[in-house]
Amino acid sequence: MSTTGNIAITGILTTAGSDGSFPLRRELRDLQRNFPDHYNLLVLALKDFQALNESVQTSYYQIAGIHGLPYKPWNGVGSNSDWQSTSGFGGYCTHSSILFLTWHRPYLALFEQALYNSIQKIANQFPEGALRTKYVEAAKTFRMPYFDWATQPPSGSSAFPSAFTSPTVQVVDVNGKTKSTPNPLYRFVFHPVNPSPDDFPAQWSRFPTTVRYPNPRTGQSQDNRVAPILANELASLRTNVSLLLLSYTNFDAFSFNRWDPNTNPGEFGSLEDVHNEIHDRTGGGGHMSSLDVSSFDPLFWLHHTNVDRLWAIWQDLNPDSFLSPRPAPYSTFNSTQGESQTKDTPLTPFWDKSATKFWTSEEIQDTTTTFGYAYPETQEWKYKTGSEYQAAIRQAVTALYGTNVFANFAAANVQARAAEHTQLVKSLSLATPPPPVPVTAEKPLLITQEMKASPIPEELQHLAPHNKYPEWVVNIRAQKHGLHGAFRVIVFLGPINEDDPDSWQTEFNAVGRVSVLGRSTQGPTTTKCAKCITDAAEELMISGTVPLTSALLQDIVNENTGLQSLQPDEVVPYLKKELKWKVTMFETGEEKNCVEVPGLRVSVTSTEVTIGEDGLPDYSGEYVVYPEITDGKPGGLKEGEHI
């Protein structure tokens, strides 16, 4: 706390090691498996953090509340009467805006800073001697972990780690004894039993804890539903992440999901779009599904840390690309609607280290010297040249996310997959890449021979003559708030049970989805988000993508489909027959008629990819649109219509 009363967002104050190194934010499963002392501190400290009185400015409750409900100014920022919605304070929302990624970085730094305070407190509570020394040393390098939802989980393990689904967890407590304790990653308990109806609408005030996939009758969390839904569309999600990291070179296109008529057909995707999908697939009508309350779920913080990681990776691959000035879509505490939002726009309510002015996007680009952390893939200090460093990043991305779909597919037991015809087999149909090399401050992430991508296997060469093939992608756009709530567009390839919307998220032929985090802007459930109300009035359009190539490869191997090639002369008629999409609401699962979804347009594009001898992809950047595939389908792009 500064003398002004403003809370400075410092992250974890750190100086570089003698080799230029910084502590790493690690993947949750890596932390749990290879750094048990750090994981033990995480559990104990997160419990301590969550237990802070909700009136404390740096409590879990208040920091989570910055993101949406209860829509109260934080640290005195935003009480200006000019920035109000019709029902009071309008929040700090930057979703579907150029500030989406940059705003969340100091937000995460604030959370990590507060958690770190509890880490230090807990470490020093262990009995004096070797045990305290061990945990005090671990505390020095502790950083917030991330959940990498796009990498293939280790063979035999769940797509949704047990660290999130177990109600209790074994820890070494501060008295040195091992015991079972409530798991703070499982849920957040509002205390006193809260949220109150005065601060939260009835939709959320009825829950004493955060929930995932709440039972419609009892409201009980059904965490067991998350893993199969995460697993079912994993191949498409992994390709989406790879496309973003390795083929998008413009920050505006990469970062946020706002669509305009000038959007290139090769830039319908975004990191925000992928981020939305995880909110949808892990929430199921629970807290993660709604931007108003998602930050109360502990999963939110590990999810957003992964989003920040993916941006950090992209930044180091594209160091010269950053945000372009855009007109502010709404008035805030610091800007007026129509003014230009730039890299110097204040990121309210986050005061910088001086506590006299707000952080800006320009100032938070570097994670190391600014906030004191790096990621396994961004250890630039380990490489002699920038080109060597970038080559290592590309190899890591390909190893983790399987951009070379042929090399991954070759090792799959596709016959077993087709025979068993279950979503679980589908989720594991691509070859499992080797797990990330465990990383410590002393051992850098270096790309081993085993991690390197492979060229196209001989048995699949006929599908990619001269190592070239078309990458097929579904582009989707729609009005964000057109249905007055959050909804998803699920893409299928092949027959489905048309009469059972509840089955569609684990349907064998489901390929992927675009999740639209719309909000209600009418009636008693109208959001308090001022930006969202403005966006709805202006009929804001968003876009997203669903890669198809992995699903097409599956159908090629399945001789019953008749598909034999990835080339347009075969794929176009095949997609005309087999491609379909459905729209359902997050909260209720209710199907919506596609023709009644404002602004919905679904199209299909392809771009040529060349696989090098090292297995890395090179995207041509030229996209072909095929309106003949979607013309005549509900919500499909028509011949002669602007994409």
PDB file of all heavy atoms in Angstrom, residues 420-446:
ATOM      1  N   GLU A 420     -14.337 -48.736 -31.391  1.00  0.00           N
ATOM      2  CA  GLU A 420     -14.912 -48.452 -30.079  1.00  0.00           C
ATOM      3  C   GLU A 420     -15.915 -47.315 -30.135  1.00  0.00           C
ATOM      4  O   GLU A 420     -16.840 -47.251 -29.336  1.00  0.00           O
ATOM      5  CB  GLU A 420     -13.795 -48.139 -29.081  1.00  0.00           C
ATOM      6  CG  GLU A 420     -12.940 -49.362 -28.797  1.00  0.00           C
ATOM      7  CD  GLU A 420     -12.014 -49.124 -27.628  1.00  0.00           C
ATOM      8  OE1 GLU A 420     -12.395 -48.349 -26.736  1.00  0.00           O
ATOM      9  OE2 GLU A 420     -10.930 -49.687 -27.616  1.00  0.00           O
ATOM     10  N   HIS A 421     -15.688 -46.386 -31.073  1.00  0.00           N
ATOM     11  CA  HIS A 421     -16.670 -45.323 -31.312  1.00  0.00           C
ATOM     12  C   HIS A 421     -17.073 -44.612 -30.025  1.00  0.00           C
ATOM     13  O   HIS A 421     -18.249 -44.415 -29.739  1.00  0.00           O
ATOM     14  CB  HIS A 421     -17.907 -45.901 -31.997  1.00  0.00           C
ATOM     15  CG  HIS A 421     -18.677 -44.867 -32.766  1.00  0.00           C
ATOM     16  ND1 HIS A 421     -19.704 -44.147 -32.227  1.00  0.00           N
ATOM     17  CD2 HIS A 421     -18.533 -44.433 -34.028  1.00  0.00           C
ATOM     18  CE1 HIS A 421     -20.192 -43.311 -33.139  1.00  0.00           C
ATOM     19  NE2 HIS A 421     -19.479 -43.466 -34.237  1.00  0.00           N
ATOM     20  N   THR A 422     -16.063 -44.231 -29.228  1.00  0.00           N
ATOM     21  CA  THR A 422     -16.339 -43.493 -28.005  1.00  0.00           C
ATOM     22  C   THR A 422     -15.574 -42.204 -28.017  1.00  0.00           C
ATOM     23  O   THR A 422     -14.516 -42.090 -28.651  1.00  0.00           O
ATOM     24  CB  THR A 422     -15.930 -44.287 -26.757  1.00  0.00           C
ATOM     25  OG1 THR A 422     -14.507 -44.405 -26.765  1.00  0.00           O
ATOM     26  CG2 THR A 422     -16.577 -45.644 -26.705  1.00  0.00           C
ATOM     27  N   GLN A 423     -16.088 -41.204 -27.313  1.00  0.00           N
ATOM     28  CA  GLN A 423     -15.417 -39.908 -27.285  1.00  0.00           C
ATOM     29  C   GLN A 423     -14.052 -39.995 -26.628  1.00  0.00           C
ATOM     30  O   GLN A 423     -13.154 -39.248 -26.991  1.00  0.00           O
ATOM     31  CB  GLN A 423     -16.284 -38.869 -26.549  1.00  0.00           C
ATOM     32  CG  GLN A 423     -16.538 -39.151 -25.092  1.00  0.00           C
ATOM     33  CD  GLN A 423     -15.427 -38.714 -24.182  1.00  0.00           C
ATOM     34  OE1 GLN A 423     -14.648 -37.851 -24.547  1.00  0.00           O
ATOM     35  NE2 GLN A 423     -15.339 -39.320 -23.015  1.00  0.00           N
ATOM     36  N   LEU A 424     -13.859 -40.912 -25.675  1.00  0.00           N
ATOM     37  CA  LEU A 424     -12.563 -40.997 -25.015  1.00  0.00           C
ATOM     38  C   LEU A 424     -11.503 -41.453 -25.999  1.00  0.00           C
ATOM     39  O   LEU A 424     -10.408 -40.896 -26.044  1.00  0.00           O
ATOM     40  CB  LEU A 424     -12.631 -41.948 -23.825  1.00  0.00           C
ATOM     41  CG  LEU A 424     -11.307 -42.139 -23.065  1.00  0.00           C
ATOM     42  CD1 LEU A 424     -10.815 -40.786 -22.541  1.00  0.00           C
ATOM     43  CD2 LEU A 424     -11.468 -43.127 -21.937  1.00  0.00           C
ATOM     44  N   VAL A 425     -11.819 -42.475 -26.799  1.00  0.00           N
ATOM     45  CA  VAL A 425     -10.862 -42.924 -27.799  1.00  0.00           C
ATOM     46  C   VAL A 425     -10.592 -41.798 -28.779  1.00  0.00           C
ATOM     47  O   VAL A 425      -9.470 -41.564 -29.200  1.00  0.00           O
ATOM     48  CB  VAL A 425     -11.393 -44.173 -28.537  1.00  0.00           C
ATOM     49  CG1 VAL A 425     -10.430 -44.594 -29.636  1.00  0.00           C
ATOM     50  CG2 VAL A 425     -11.581 -45.317 -27.550  1.00  0.00           C
ATOM     51  N   LYS A 426     -11.648 -41.060 -29.117  1.00  0.00           N
ATOM     52  CA  LYS A 426     -11.450 -39.944 -30.029  1.00  0.00           C
ATOM     53  C   LYS A 426     -10.486 -38.931 -29.446  1.00  0.00           C
ATOM     54  O   LYS A 426      -9.617 -38.407 -30.137  1.00  0.00           O
ATOM     55  CB  LYS A 426     -12.790 -39.260 -30.332  1.00  0.00           C
ATOM     56  CG  LYS A 426     -12.648 -38.050 -31.235  1.00  0.00           C
ATOM     57  CD  LYS A 426     -13.997 -37.411 -31.514  1.00  0.00           C
ATOM     58  CE  LYS A 426     -13.809 -36.193 -32.405  1.00  0.00           C
ATOM     59  NZ  LYS A 426     -15.055 -35.526 -32.692  1.00  0.00           N
ATOM     60  N   SER A 427     -10.603 -38.645 -28.169  1.00  0.00           N
ATOM     61  CA  SER A 427      -9.760 -37.626 -27.554  1.00  0.00           C
ATOM     62  C   SER A 427      -8.294 -38.024 -27.562  1.00  0.00           C
ATOM     63  O   SER A 427      -7.411 -37.174 -27.500  1.00  0.00           O
ATOM     64  CB  SER A 427     -10.212 -37.363 -26.116  1.00  0.00           C
ATOM     65  OG  SER A 427      -9.828 -38.430 -25.273  1.00  0.00           O
ATOM     66  N   LEU A 428      -8.021 -39.325 -27.642  1.00  0.00           N
ATOM     67  CA  LEU A 428      -6.636 -39.793 -27.634  1.00  0.00           C
ATOM     68  C   LEU A 428      -6.199 -40.293 -29.003  1.00  0.00           C
ATOM     69  O   LEU A 428      -5.207 -40.987 -29.128  1.00  0.00           O
ATOM     70  CB  LEU A 428      -6.484 -40.923 -26.610  1.00  0.00           C
ATOM     71  CG  LEU A 428      -6.832 -40.547 -25.162  1.00  0.00           C
ATOM     72  CD1 LEU A 428      -6.765 -41.769 -24.275  1.00  0.00           C
ATOM     73  CD2 LEU A 428      -5.902 -39.470 -24.657  1.00  0.00           C
ATOM     74  N   SER A 429      -6.923 -39.934 -30.055  1.00  0.00           N
ATOM     75  CA  SER A 429      -6.676 -40.507 -31.368  1.00  0.00           C
ATOM     76  C   SER A 429      -5.381 -40.026 -31.994  1.00  0.00           C
ATOM     77  O   SER A 429      -4.776 -40.724 -32.781  1.00  0.00           O
ATOM     78  CB  SER A 429      -7.836 -40.186 -32.314  1.00  0.00           C
ATOM     79  OG  SER A 429      -7.938 -38.799 -32.495  1.00  0.00           O
ATOM     80  N   LEU A 430      -4.963 -38.823 -31.657  1.00  0.00           N
ATOM     81  CA  LEU A 430      -3.682 -38.360 -32.172  1.00  0.00           C
ATOM     82  C   LEU A 430      -2.575 -38.868 -31.265  1.00  0.00           C
ATOM     83  O   LEU A 430      -2.746 -39.000 -30.063  1.00  0.00           O
ATOM     84  CB  LEU A 430      -3.653 -36.827 -32.235  1.00  0.00           C
ATOM     85  CG  LEU A 430      -4.708 -36.205 -33.140  1.00  0.00           C
ATOM     86  CD1 LEU A 430      -4.533 -34.702 -33.167  1.00  0.00           C
ATOM     87  CD2 LEU A 430      -4.618 -36.763 -34.538  1.00  0.00           C
ATOM     88  N   ALA A 431      -1.429 -39.132 -31.858  1.00  0.00           N
ATOM     89  CA  ALA A 431      -0.316 -39.643 -31.061  1.00  0.00           C
ATOM     90  C   ALA A 431       0.010 -38.688 -29.930  1.00  0.00           C
ATOM     91  O   ALA A 431       0.064 -37.485 -30.126  1.00  0.00           O
ATOM     92  CB  ALA A 431       0.910 -39.827 -31.940  1.00  0.00           C
ATOM     93  N   THR A 432       0.234 -39.227 -28.757  1.00  0.00           N
ATOM     94  CA  THR A 432       0.575 -38.390 -27.615  1.00  0.00           C
ATOM     95  C   THR A 432       1.997 -37.886 -27.762  1.00  0.00           C
ATOM     96  O   THR A 432       2.927 -38.684 -27.828  1.00  0.00           O
ATOM     97  CB  THR A 432       0.455 -39.181 -26.307  1.00  0.00           C
ATOM     98  OG1 THR A 432      -0.873 -39.690 -26.209  1.00  0.00           O
ATOM     99  CG2 THR A 432       0.779 -38.300 -25.110  1.00  0.00           C
ATOM    100  N   PRO A 433       2.209 -36.559 -27.840  1.00  0.00           N
ATOM    101  CA  PRO A 433       3.574 -36.055 -27.931  1.00  0.00           C
ATOM    102  C   PRO A 433       4.288 -36.253 -26.606  1.00  0.00           C
ATOM    103  O   PRO A 433       3.647 -36.413 -25.571  1.00  0.00           O
ATOM    104  CB  PRO A 433       3.371 -34.554 -28.216  1.00  0.00           C
ATOM    105  CG  PRO A 433       2.050 -34.248 -27.608  1.00  0.00           C
ATOM    106  CD  PRO A 433       1.216 -35.487 -27.779  1.00  0.00           C
ATOM    107  N   PRO A 434       5.596 -36.281 -26.653  1.00  0.00           N
ATOM    108  CA  PRO A 434       6.317 -36.433 -25.387  1.00  0.00           C
ATOM    109  C   PRO A 434       5.989 -35.294 -24.449  1.00  0.00           C
ATOM    110  O   PRO A 434       5.755 -34.178 -24.895  1.00  0.00           O
ATOM    111  CB  PRO A 434       7.792 -36.388 -25.820  1.00  0.00           C
ATOM    112  CG  PRO A 434       7.785 -35.717 -27.148  1.00  0.00           C
ATOM    113  CD  PRO A 434       6.489 -36.083 -27.785  1.00  0.00           C
ATOM    114  N   PRO A 435       5.922 -35.567 -23.132  1.00  0.00           N
ATOM    115  CA  PRO A 435       5.600 -34.499 -22.181  1.00  0.00           C
ATOM    116  C   PRO A 435       6.685 -33.449 -22.180  1.00  0.00           C
ATOM    117  O   PRO A 435       7.829 -33.712 -22.555  1.00  0.00           O
ATOM    118  CB  PRO A 435       5.532 -35.230 -20.836  1.00  0.00           C
ATOM    119  CG  PRO A 435       6.369 -36.454 -21.033  1.00  0.00           C
ATOM    120  CD  PRO A 435       6.200 -36.845 -22.465  1.00  0.00           C
ATOM    121  N   PRO A 436       6.333 -32.211 -21.762  1.00  0.00           N
ATOM    122  CA  PRO A 436       7.348 -31.168 -21.699  1.00  0.00           C
ATOM    123  C   PRO A 436       8.494 -31.589 -20.781  1.00  0.00           C
ATOM    124  O   PRO A 436       8.290 -32.250 -19.772  1.00  0.00           O
ATOM    125  CB  PRO A 436       6.583 -29.974 -21.106  1.00  0.00           C
ATOM    126  CG  PRO A 436       5.143 -30.278 -21.344  1.00  0.00           C
ATOM    127  CD  PRO A 436       5.026 -31.768 -21.325  1.00  0.00           C
ATOM    128  N   VAL A 437       9.705 -31.197 -21.168  1.00  0.00           N
ATOM    129  CA  VAL A 437      10.850 -31.457 -20.316  1.00  0.00           C
ATOM    130  C   VAL A 437      10.669 -30.693 -19.017  1.00  0.00           C
ATOM    131  O   VAL A 437      10.386 -29.495 -19.049  1.00  0.00           O
ATOM    132  CB  VAL A 437      12.153 -31.000 -21.022  1.00  0.00           C
ATOM    133  CG1 VAL A 437      13.344 -31.157 -20.093  1.00  0.00           C
ATOM    134  CG2 VAL A 437      12.358 -31.782 -22.297  1.00  0.00           C
ATOM    135  N   PRO A 438      10.765 -31.361 -17.851  1.00  0.00           N
ATOM    136  CA  PRO A 438      10.668 -30.613 -16.598  1.00  0.00           C
ATOM    137  C   PRO A 438      11.694 -29.495 -16.573  1.00  0.00           C
ATOM    138  O   PRO A 438      12.851 -29.685 -16.929  1.00  0.00           O
ATOM    139  CB  PRO A 438      10.964 -31.677 -15.533  1.00  0.00           C
ATOM    140  CG  PRO A 438      10.602 -32.973 -16.185  1.00  0.00           C
ATOM    141  CD  PRO A 438      10.952 -32.787 -17.633  1.00  0.00           C
ATOM    142  N   VAL A 439      11.251 -28.314 -16.157  1.00  0.00           N
ATOM    143  CA  VAL A 439      12.103 -27.137 -16.227  1.00  0.00           C
ATOM    144  C   VAL A 439      12.370 -26.605 -14.833  1.00  0.00           C
ATOM    145  O   VAL A 439      11.463 -26.479 -14.024  1.00  0.00           O
ATOM    146  CB  VAL A 439      11.420 -26.043 -17.068  1.00  0.00           C
ATOM    147  CG1 VAL A 439      12.327 -24.829 -17.160  1.00  0.00           C
ATOM    148  CG2 VAL A 439      11.121 -26.563 -18.460  1.00  0.00           C
ATOM    149  N   THR A 440      13.605 -26.298 -14.546  1.00  0.00           N
ATOM    150  CA  THR A 440      13.950 -25.599 -13.321  1.00  0.00           C
ATOM    151  C   THR A 440      14.780 -24.402 -13.689  1.00  0.00           C
ATOM    152  O   THR A 440      15.170 -24.229 -14.850  1.00  0.00           O
ATOM    153  CB  THR A 440      14.765 -26.498 -12.368  1.00  0.00           C
ATOM    154  OG1 THR A 440      16.056 -26.706 -12.938  1.00  0.00           O
ATOM    155  CG2 THR A 440      14.084 -27.831 -12.123  1.00  0.00           C
ATOM    156  N   ALA A 441      15.040 -23.560 -12.716  1.00  0.00           N
ATOM    157  CA  ALA A 441      15.855 -22.384 -12.993  1.00  0.00           C
ATOM    158  C   ALA A 441      17.241 -22.789 -13.477  1.00  0.00           C
ATOM    159  O   ALA A 441      17.918 -22.046 -14.158  1.00  0.00           O
ATOM    160  CB  ALA A 441      15.960 -21.517 -11.745  1.00  0.00           C
ATOM    161  N   GLU A 442      17.688 -23.999 -13.078  1.00  0.00           N
ATOM    162  CA  GLU A 442      19.019 -24.444 -13.468  1.00  0.00           C
ATOM    163  C   GLU A 442      19.005 -25.209 -14.787  1.00  0.00           C
ATOM    164  O   GLU A 442      20.027 -25.366 -15.428  1.00  0.00           O
ATOM    165  CB  GLU A 442      19.607 -25.353 -12.382  1.00  0.00           C
ATOM    166  CG  GLU A 442      19.884 -24.643 -11.055  1.00  0.00           C
ATOM    167  CD  GLU A 442      18.625 -24.355 -10.277  1.00  0.00           C
ATOM    168  OE1 GLU A 442      17.682 -25.161 -10.349  1.00  0.00           O
ATOM    169  OE2 GLU A 442      18.566 -23.302  -9.614  1.00  0.00           O
ATOM    170  N   LYS A 443      17.852 -25.746 -15.163  1.00  0.00           N
ATOM    171  CA  LYS A 443      17.785 -26.583 -16.356  1.00  0.00           C
ATOM    172  C   LYS A 443      16.833 -25.956 -17.367  1.00  0.00           C
ATOM    173  O   LYS A 443      15.629 -25.950 -17.167  1.00  0.00           O
ATOM    174  CB  LYS A 443      17.301 -27.985 -15.993  1.00  0.00           C
ATOM    175  CG  LYS A 443      17.308 -28.966 -17.162  1.00  0.00           C
ATOM    176  CD  LYS A 443      16.941 -30.366 -16.687  1.00  0.00           C
ATOM    177  CE  LYS A 443      16.950 -31.361 -17.838  1.00  0.00           C
ATOM    178  NZ  LYS A 443      16.588 -32.721 -17.396  1.00  0.00           N
ATOM    179  N   PRO A 444      17.332 -25.406 -18.472  1.00  0.00           N
ATOM    180  CA  PRO A 444      16.473 -24.691 -19.408  1.00  0.00           C
ATOM    181  C   PRO A 444      15.625 -25.647 -20.228  1.00  0.00           C
ATOM    182  O   PRO A 444      15.910 -26.844 -20.311  1.00  0.00           O
ATOM    183  CB  PRO A 444      17.482 -23.970 -20.306  1.00  0.00           C
ATOM    184  CG  PRO A 444      18.662 -24.885 -20.331  1.00  0.00           C
ATOM    185  CD  PRO A 444      18.735 -25.456 -18.943  1.00  0.00           C
ATOM    186  N   LEU A 445      14.599 -25.091 -20.843  1.00  0.00           N
ATOM    187  CA  LEU A 445      13.814 -25.861 -21.797  1.00  0.00           C
ATOM    188  C   LEU A 445      14.601 -25.915 -23.088  1.00  0.00           C
ATOM    189  O   LEU A 445      14.673 -24.943 -23.832  1.00  0.00           O
ATOM    190  CB  LEU A 445      12.454 -25.210 -22.043  1.00  0.00           C
ATOM    191  CG  LEU A 445      11.626 -25.927 -23.113  1.00  0.00           C
ATOM    192  CD1 LEU A 445      11.122 -27.259 -22.557  1.00  0.00           C
ATOM    193  CD2 LEU A 445      10.452 -25.081 -23.552  1.00  0.00           C
ATOM    194  N   LEU A 446      15.238 -27.033 -23.365  1.00  0.00           N
ATOM    195  CA  LEU A 446      15.951 -27.229 -24.614  1.00  0.00           C
ATOM    196  C   LEU A 446      15.224 -28.298 -25.400  1.00  0.00           C
ATOM    197  O   LEU A 446      14.754 -29.294 -24.847  1.00  0.00           O
ATOM    198  CB  LEU A 446      17.401 -27.647 -24.354  1.00  0.00           C
ATOM    199  CG  LEU A 446      18.252 -26.613 -23.602  1.00  0.00           C
ATOM    200  CD1 LEU A 446      19.636 -27.172 -23.337  1.00  0.00           C
ATOM    201  CD2 LEU A 446      18.348 -25.318 -24.396  1.00  0.00           C
TER     202      LEU A 446
END
